[in-house]
C-alpha cells in the first residue's frame, strides 16, 4: 500500500480492499437467482411430466375388429335409419364366440365393445352403401374397461371382484388379441366429438367450440372497450378526483376474484335480463367483465411508454389531438396493447369459476353451433372429467389439460411474436 | 439619471454607447422589444404553472425575415415563452397563459382560432431530434397530408423534395427516402425535423435549443441553414450558446427569472448591453 504524496491512502487501495467483498455478494445474488429459476423450472417440469404421463395414452384408443354381415334382404326392405344396428354388432360378436350361450355371459361379451359402435356402423353404411350384401371387417372402439386393460391401467393380477373386467372377459380379450382383432388406433374421436357418458366416446371438440365462441364474445367486447378506455384515460381525460377514482376502481376490478363476476353474471344476465343458461354469449359477457380491466391496465402502460417527444412532434406539425393519438401514439403502443390483450384472453381461456356460476358446467353432448347454444368450455370440461368416477376419465382429464396448455402456449407465443414483429425503435 | 436612460433606451434609436448600465434591481425591459412591421406580437404575456408564475408580463415582437434569439440562464422561462407562440403550452396540464399574442394581427388565443391551423403556421423544432419512427419520406409527407396541402402523389413527391432541399438534407437522403428517419445521424435527424416543419409552409419557425444535442460540425451546418431559412421565415430560436446567438440572430432577447430583461440588436446586446444582468450573463458571471 503506497500512500499518496499527502500521506493519505490512495483511493485505488481502498477500492481494491472492498472489491473481493463486492464480488462475493454479487456471486451470492446470482446464485440465488439461479436457484430460484431452477426451482420454478423444476416445478414446471414435474407438472408437465405428470400431466403428460397421465394423459398421453388418451390420444390412443383400443379398437376391436368385427366382421359385420350386411344382409341384403334386411337392408333392402327397410329404411336405413330404422335398422337395429345394435343387433348387427351382437350377431357379429356371436359369430366370433359361438360357444357363449348364457344370457348374462352374452351381455358380458357385448360389454367389450363400446355402445357407440352401433352409431359408427350406421354412419359407415350411410356413407358407403356398397357394403350391403357383403361381410366386411370393420374396426370398432372397445369399451373403456377393455381400453384400460389394454393400456395397463387395470392390473390383471388383482382379485377378480376388484376388477371392472372379470376373468371370462379377460380370456375373450386375449383370444381377440391372439387373432389380431385388437389394436391401438389414433383417437380421432377425442378431437372431433362432444362430451359423453362413455369415456371411450368422449371428446373435447364440444368444449373447444364452446371456449371459442365464449372467447370470441370476450374479445369482440373487451378489446374495443379496453382500448378505448385506456386511450381516453391516458390521452384525453383531465387528471382530477374523478379520474383518480376511476383508476383505483379499474385496478380493483382487475383484482376481484373471478367467481364474483360469475355471481354477477348469474344475477344480472341470467336472472334479470333472462338470457339463456349455459350459453357462450353469457360466458363471454362475464369473462369480458374480467378481461377488460386487464386490457385497460396493459393499454395504459403501453401508451405511457410512448415517448412524449412523438406527441410533441405530431402536435408541432399541426396534427389534432385525435390525429396524434391515432396516427402516432396508438401504432407505437399497439404491440403492448396486443400483448396485454392476448394475456388477458389466455387468462379468460383458463377461467372456470365464473362459468360454473352461469351454468356452463352442464353435461352437453352436442357440439354448440352458435352463441346461444348450450355449451361448456375447456377448463370446465377438465373440471367435469376430473370429477367423473370412471378410471378412463383420468387420462382424458390430463389430455384435455394438455390441449388447454397447448392453446395457452400458442396464444402466448403469438403475443411474443406479434410484439417482436410490430415493435419499433425510436 | 437611470430613469432617463431607460426612456432613452426604449426609444427607437439605440444609444451608441452607454457609460452606466441599468441596475440589477430593475426588472423592467430595457431596449426595444418592438419592430415596425411585426409578424407576431406579444403583449403583457404571463404564464402560470399552477400558482407559479413562470413568465412575467413580457411584451415582445417578432419581425419578418429575422432570427430572434432567446438567451438566459436555464429555468428562466425561454422554453415556456417560445411554447406560447404556437400554444404548445395548451398540452401541459395546469399551464395558463394571459395577455395577448397575435400572428399577423390575429390573436392566437382567441377562442375562435383553431390551434391546428395555428400550428401549421407556426412550426416547431425541438431540443432533441424527434422524427416519427417512419420513413424519411413519411416524416415530411405527414404534415402536408393531414392539412390537405397537396392533391396528387407527384405534388407530394415534389413538396418532400423541396422541403428536404431547403433543409439541406436532400443530397444525403435522396437514395434512401423510404428508410426509417430514426436511422439518420443526430444532425441529420434535426434537419429532417426542420424539413418536416418547413413542409407545411409555416410563417414562423420556433426552435428550442435545436443544436444542444448535436456535435459542432452538425451545429455549424444547422446554423448556416437557419441563416438561409431567414429569407422565407421568421425564426425564434432558444439557445444557451451565446456564440450561436451572435452568429445566427439579428435580435436577441435576454430573459431572467421569467422577466424579459433586455431586447436589442444582437450586435449591441453582446457588445454593449444596457442592463447589468445582461452584462453579467454574457460575461459569464452566472449562467
Ligand atoms: N411543466 C411544468 N410544470 C411546472 N413548472 C414548469 C414546467 N415547465 C417548466 N416549469 C418551470 O418554469 C420555469 C421555466 O422553465 P423553462 O421555460 O423550461 O426554462 P428554460 O427553457 O429557460 O430553461 C422553471 O422554473 C421551471 O421549473
Ligand atoms: Mg428550455
Amino acid at each position: 500500500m503506497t500512500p499518496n504524496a499527502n500521506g493519505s491512502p490512495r483511493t485505488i487501495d481502498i477500492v481494491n480492499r472492498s472489491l473481493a467483498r463486492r464480488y462475493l455478494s454479487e456471486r451470492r445474488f446470482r446464485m440465488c437467482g439461479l436457484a430460484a429459476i431452477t426451482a420454478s423450472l423444476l416445478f414446471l417440469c414435474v407438472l408437465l411430466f405428470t400431466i403428460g404421463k397421465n394423459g398421453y395414452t388418451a390420444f390412443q384408443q383400443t379398437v376391436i375388429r368385427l366382421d359385420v354381415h350386411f344382409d341384403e334382404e334386411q337392408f333392402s326392405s327397410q329404411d336405413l335409419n330404422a335398422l337395429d344396428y345394435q343387433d348387427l354388432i351382437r350377431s357379429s360378436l356371436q359369430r366370433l364366440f359361438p360357444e357363449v350361450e348364457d344370457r348374462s355371459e352374452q351381455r358380458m361379451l357385448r360389454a367389450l365393445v363400446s355402445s357407440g359402435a352401433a352409431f359408427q356402423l350406421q354412419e359407415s353404411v350411410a356413407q358407403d352403401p356398397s357394403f350391403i350384401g357383403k361381410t366386411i371387417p370393420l374396426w370398432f372402439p372397445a369399451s373403456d374397461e377393455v381400453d384400460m386393460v389394454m393400456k395397463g391401467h387395470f392390473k390383471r393380477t388383482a382379485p377378480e371382484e376388484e376388477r371392472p373386467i372379470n376373468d371370462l372377459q379377460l380370456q375373450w380379450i386375449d383370444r381377440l388379441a391372439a387373432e389380431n382383432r385388437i389394436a391401438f388406433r389414433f383417437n380421432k374421436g377425442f378431437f372431433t366429438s362432444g362430451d359423453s357418458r362413455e369415456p371411450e366416446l368422449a371428446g373435447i371438440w364440444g368444449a373447444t367450440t364452446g371456449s371459442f365462441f365464449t372467447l370470441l364474445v370476450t374479445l369482440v367486447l373487451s378489446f374495443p372497450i379496453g382500448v378505448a378506455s385506456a386511450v381516453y384515460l391516458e390521452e384525453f381525460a383531465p387528471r382530477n378526483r374523478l379520474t383518480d377514482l376511476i383508476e383505483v376502481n379499474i385496478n380493483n376490478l382487475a383484482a376481484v376474484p373471478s367467481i364474483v363476476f360469475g355471481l354477477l353474471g348469474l344475477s344480472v344476465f341470467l336472472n334479470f335480463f333472462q338470457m339463456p343458461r349455459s350459453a357462450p354469449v353469457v360466458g363471454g359477457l362475464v369473462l369480458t367483465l374480467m378481461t377488460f380491466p386487464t386490457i385497460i391496465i396493459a393499454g395504459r402502460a403501453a401508451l405511457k411508454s410512448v415517448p412524449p417527444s412523438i406527441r410533441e412532434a405530431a402536435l408541432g406539425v399541426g396534427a389534432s389531438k385525435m390525429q396524434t393519438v391515432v396516427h402516432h401514439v396508438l401504432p407505437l403502443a399497439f404491440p403492448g396493447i396486443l400483448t396485454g390483450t392476448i394475456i388477458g384472453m389466455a387468462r379468460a381461456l383458463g377461467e372456470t369459476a365464473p362459468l360454473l356460476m352461469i351454468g356452463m358446467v352442464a353435461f352437453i353432448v352436442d357440439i354448440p353451433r352458435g352463441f346461444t347454444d348450450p355449451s361448456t368450455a375447456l377448463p370446465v370440461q377438465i373440471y367435469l372429467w376430473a370429477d367423473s368416477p370412471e378410471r378412463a376419465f383420468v387420462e382424458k382429464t390430463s389430455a384435455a389439460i394438455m390441449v388447454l396448455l397447448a392453446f395457452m402456449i400458442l396464444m402466448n407465443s403469438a403475443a411474443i411474436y406479434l410484439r417482436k414483429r410490430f415493435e419499433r425503435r425510436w | 439619471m437611470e430613469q432617463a436612460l431607460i426612456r432613452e433606451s426604449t426609444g427607437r434609436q439605440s444609444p451608441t454607447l452607454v457609460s452606466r448600465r441599468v441596475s440589477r434591481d430593475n426588472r423592467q425591459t430595457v431596449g426595444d422589444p418592438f419592430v415596425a412591421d411585426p409578424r407576431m406580437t406579444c403583449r403583457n404575456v404571463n404564464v402560470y404553472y399552477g400558482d407559479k408564475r413562470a413568465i412575467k408580463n413580457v411584451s415582445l415582437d417578432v419581425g419578418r425575415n429575422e432570427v430572434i434569439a432567446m438567451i438566459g440562464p436555464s429555468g428562466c422561462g425561454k422554453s415556456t415563452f417560445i411554447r406560447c407562440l404556437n400554444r404548445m403550452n395548451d398540452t401541459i396540464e395546469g399551464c395558463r397563459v394571459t395577455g395577448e399574442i397575435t400572428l399577423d394581427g390575429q390573436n392566437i388565443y382567441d377562442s375562435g382560432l383553431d390551434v391546428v391551423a395555428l400550428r401549421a403556421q407556426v412550426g416547431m423544432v425541438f431540443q432533441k431530434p424527434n422524427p416519427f419512427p417512419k420513413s424519411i419520406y413519411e416524416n415530411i409527407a405527414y404534415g402536408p397530408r393531414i392539412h390537405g396541402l397537396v392533391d396528387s402523389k407527384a405534388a407530394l413527391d415534389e413538396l418532400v423534395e423541396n422541403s428536404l432541399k431547403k433543409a439541406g438534407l436532400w443530397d444525403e437522403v435522396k437514395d434512401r427516402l423510404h428508410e426509417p428517419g430514426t436511422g439518420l445521424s443526430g444532425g441529420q435527424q434535426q434537419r429532417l425535423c426542420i424539413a418536416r416543419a418547413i413542409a407545411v409552409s409555416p410563417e414562423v419557425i420556433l426552435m428550442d435549443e435545436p443544436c444542444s444535442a448535436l456535435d459542432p460540425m452538425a451545429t455549424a451546418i444547422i446554423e448556416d441553414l437557419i441563416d438561409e431559412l431567414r429569407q422565407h421565415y421568421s425564426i425564434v430560436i432558444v439557445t444557451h450558446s451565446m456564440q450561436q446567438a451572435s452568429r445566427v440572430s439579428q435580435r436577441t432577447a435576454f430573459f431572467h427569472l421569467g422577466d424579459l430583461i433586455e431586447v436589442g440588436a444582437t450586435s449591441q446586446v453582446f457588445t454593449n448591453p444596457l442592463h447589468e444582468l445582461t452584462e453579467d450573463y454574457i460575461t459569464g458571471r452566472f449562467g
Side-chain angles (χ1 to χ4, degrees):
Chain A
M1 218 185 282
T2 42
N4 252 350
N6 56 19
S8 57
R10 289 161 62 214
T11 311
I12 185 71
D13 296 323
I14 302 174
V15 170
N16 276 338
R17 246 178 294 154
S18 69
L19 222 48
R21 215 180 50 237
R22 278 198 252 170
Y23 284 145
L24 185 71
S25 75
E26 185 182 322
R27 245 197 327 275
R28 215 180 303 133
F29 183 75
R30 265 199 256 163
M31 295 301 280
C32 287
L34 259 176
I37 296 237
T38 317
S40 50
L41 279 182
L42 208 70
F43 283 130
L44 192 68
C45 285
V46 169
L47 177 81
L48 290 182
F49 178 75
T50 337
I51 293 170
K53 186 175 140 288
N54 283 334
Y56 79 98
T57 46
F59 299 118
Q60 284 201 324
Q61 186 180 32
T62 310
V63 284
I64 296 177
R65 186 172 50 137
L66 298 178
D67 302 320
V68 186
H69 178 65
F70 298 92
D71 187 67
E72 200 155 9
E73 216 169 289
Q74 204 178 2
F75 272 85
S76 56
S77 62
Q78 281 181 34
D79 176 21
L80 277 186
N81 289 325
L83 283 168
D84 188 357
Y85 290 95
Q86 199 71 54
D87 188 56
L88 274 176
I89 303 276
R90 203 177 301 149
S91 50
S92 308
L93 275 169
Q94 204 68 68
R95 255 177 283 123
L96 276 178
F97 298 96
E99 74 280 8
V100 181
E101 280 167 359
D102 180 57
R103 282 187 79 84
S104 71
E105 284 188 3
Q106 280 181 345
R107 206 173 305 123
M108 271 153 45
L109 181 61
R110 282 202 302 277
L112 294 183
V113 179
S114 164
S115 58
F119 295 107
Q120 195 191 314
L121 189 59
Q122 183 173 357
E123 261 171 38
S124 0
V125 180
Q127 262 173 25
D128 193 353
S130 70
F131 287 173
I132 296 167
K134 298 179 199 154
T135 302
I136 310 273
L138 285 173
W139 291 94
F140 295 99
S143 72
D144 57 311
E145 287 89 3
V146 177
D147 194 38
M148 288 299 101
V149 170
M150 291 305 292
K151 285 172 179 168
H153 291 312
F154 285 146
K155 281 209 186 64
R156 311 181 77 156
T157 48
E160 188 172 11
E161 59 277 12
E162 288 175 18
R163 264 187 270 132
I165 266 190
N166 57 29
D167 290 337
L168 198 55
Q169 284 173 311
L170 275 181
Q171 274 174 33
W172 292 331
I173 291 173
D174 289 339
R175 216 173 100 195
L176 284 170
E179 290 173 26
N180 278 336
R181 287 184 176 275
I182 286 196
F184 284 125
R185 283 280 173 83
F186 173 66
N187 190 355
K188 197 165 134 246
F190 181 68
F191 295 100
T192 56
S193 43
D195 199 6
S196 171
R197 293 281 182 227
E198 306 300 330
E200 73 275 10
L201 298 177
I204 52 161
W205 186 238
T208 309
T209 22
S211 272
F212 173 77
F213 284 130
T214 309
L215 283 195
L216 202 64
V217 173
T218 310
L219 182 67
V220 163
L221 290 176
S222 63
F223 184 71
I225 295 177
V227 173
S229 315
V231 169
Y232 179 76
L233 284 174
E234 200 54 42
E235 302 287 331
F236 294 96
R239 299 264 178 282
N240 56 28
R241 281 263 178 83
L242 184 69
T243 43
D244 282 351
L245 193 75
I246 291 176
E247 174 157 10
V248 168
N249 274 303
I250 288 171
N251 290 342
N252 274 342
L253 218 54
V256 166
S258 54
I259 188 122
V260 175
F261 289 116
L263 287 168
L264 185 86
L266 176 64
S267 63
V268 175
F269 298 131
L270 294 191
N271 292 350
F272 186 74
F273 286 112
Q274 297 288 315
M275 293 175 92
R277 234 158 228 291
S278 315
V281 64
V282 182
L285 282 170
V286 168
L287 292 180
T288 296
L289 292 176
M290 229 193 70
T291 309
F292 84 84
T294 316
I295 297 182
I296 294 180
I297 291 170
R300 290 188 69 175
L303 289 167
K304 240 185 222 133
S305 72
V306 175
S309 65
I310 297 293
R311 293 182 182 84
E312 283 186 330
L315 293 173
V317 295
S320 65
K321 186 93 210 189
M322 185 71 199
Q323 287 170 324
T324 303
V325 170
V326 173
H327 296 161
H328 301 283
V329 179
L330 261 185
L332 288 175
F334 195 62
I337 297 177
L338 212 61
T339 312
T341 306
I342 295 180
I343 289 170
M345 295 306 290
R347 251 190 67 198
L349 172 63
E351 201 53 70
T352 324
L355 300 183
L356 303 185
M357 288 292 111
I358 55 152
M360 285 184 83
V361 69
F363 170 73
I364 288 145
V365 178
D366 293 329
I367 313 289
R369 288 157 178 276
F371 296 101
T372 49
D373 282 358
S375 69
T376 169
L378 268 177
V380 184
Q381 187 69 77
I382 291 168
Y383 167 80
L384 280 170
W385 283 348
D387 219 23
S388 301
E390 286 91 341
R391 175 64 181 81
F393 275 123
V394 173
E395 60 169 34
K396 297 268 165 187
T397 308
S398 292
I401 292 174
M402 279 194 260
V403 172
L404 184 66
L405 282 179
F407 277 119
M408 299 274 184
I409 290 170
L410 207 69
M411 285 170 90
N412 287 324
S413 320
I416 292 170
Y417 172 77
L418 290 171
R419 154 154 243 140
K420 288 260 181 305
R421 174 88 178 62
F422 288 113
E423 206 165 46
R424 289 201 229 183
R425 307 253 152 252
W426 49 74
Chain B
M1 170 65 200
E2 205 170 278
Q3 287 300 315
L5 194 126
I6 294 169
R7 210 172 307 125
E8 190 194 347
S9 62
T10 49
R12 278 291 132 96
Q13 71 282 36
S14 46
T16 41
L17 218 151
V18 181
S19 49
R20 247 197 87 195
R21 307 192 200 288
V22 177
S23 137
R24 289 183 181 83
D25 307 325
N26 188 305
R27 307 299 297 178
Q28 228 90 52
T29 305
V30 299
D32 187 4
F34 308 118
V35 299
D37 181 21
R39 175 127 264 170
M40 295 191 84
T41 67
C42 311
R43 295 292 178 269
N44 307 320
V45 173
N46 289 285
V47 183
Y48 302 85
Y49 290 114
D51 295 334
K52 186 175 183 280
R53 193 163 162 217
I55 290 289
K56 300 166 190 163
N57 232 14
V58 168
S59 296
L60 182 67
D61 283 354
V62 177
R64 288 170 199 278
N65 301 338
E66 74 164 0
V67 178
I68 178 166
M70 314 264 146
I71 60 170
S74 87
C76 67
K78 306 178 298 285
S79 298
T80 303
F81 179 72
I82 201 177
R83 290 165 63 93
C84 292
L85 302 180
N86 68 343
R87 291 183 54 179
M88 252 346 225
N89 283 334
D90 290 13
T91 59
I92 297 173
E93 203 135 341
C95 181
R96 198 159 49 83
V97 180
T98 66
E100 187 193 62
I101 302 178
T102 68
L103 171 67
D104 295 327
Q106 159 115 59
N107 187 355
I108 64 169
Y109 280 89
D110 231 19
S111 56
L113 184 125
D114 186 32
V115 62
V116 166
L118 168 70
R119 293 197 188 125
Q121 293 171 79
V122 183
M124 187 152 191
V125 176
F126 298 85
Q127 180 166 357
K128 198 173 144 261
N130 57 352
F132 299 128
K134 300 183 175 187
S135 72
I136 294 169
Y137 185 95
E138 282 303 317
N139 262 282
I140 313 286
Y142 180 69
R145 208 178 268 149
I146 57 170
H147 295 301
L149 299 184
V150 287
D151 41 22
S152 72
K153 175 86 173 68
L156 186 60
D157 287 350
E158 198 183 314
L159 181 57
V160 169
E161 180 173 341
N162 283 337
S163 308
L164 283 168
K165 274 183 176 154
K166 276 194 205 153
L169 194 60
W170 175 251
D171 289 329
E172 292 159 62
V173 301
K174 61 170 182 259
D175 303 321
R176 43 195 284 209
L177 286 178
H178 296 285
E179 285 171 34
T182 39
L184 298 170
S185 75
Q188 287 173 326
Q189 284 189 21
Q190 197 59 300
R191 276 181 285 151
L192 180 64
C193 294
I194 293 174
R196 181 176 66 192
I198 308 176
V200 290
S201 324
E203 292 165 31
V204 181
I205 302 177
L206 313 174
M207 300 186 177
D208 192 349
E209 306 198 17
C211 301
S212 64
L214 305 183
D215 62 83
M217 284 291 289
T219 303
I221 294 171
I222 296 213
E223 284 177 7
D224 288 345
L225 172 63
I226 291 171
D227 207 45
E228 264 170 52
L229 293 176
R230 180 161 67 93
Q231 291 164 13
H232 308 281
Y233 313 96
S234 304
I235 296 172
V236 184
I237 179 170
V238 170
T239 173
H240 60 252
S241 151
M242 275 166 283
Q243 287 87 337
Q244 184 169 70
S246 64
R247 276 194 300 261
V248 301
S249 70
Q250 285 72 54
R251 289 202 303 149
T252 297
F254 172 67
F255 285 80
H256 184 254
L257 295 178
D259 285 308
L260 176 56
I261 299 295
E262 177 166 355
V263 195
T266 301
S267 52
Q268 173 255 308
V269 171
F270 282 102
T271 53
N272 192 14
L274 301 176
H275 202 288
E276 284 179 348
L277 283 170
T278 318
E279 191 194 20
D280 289 349
Y281 183 68
I282 62 177
T283 53
R285 237 167 285 170
F286 64 82

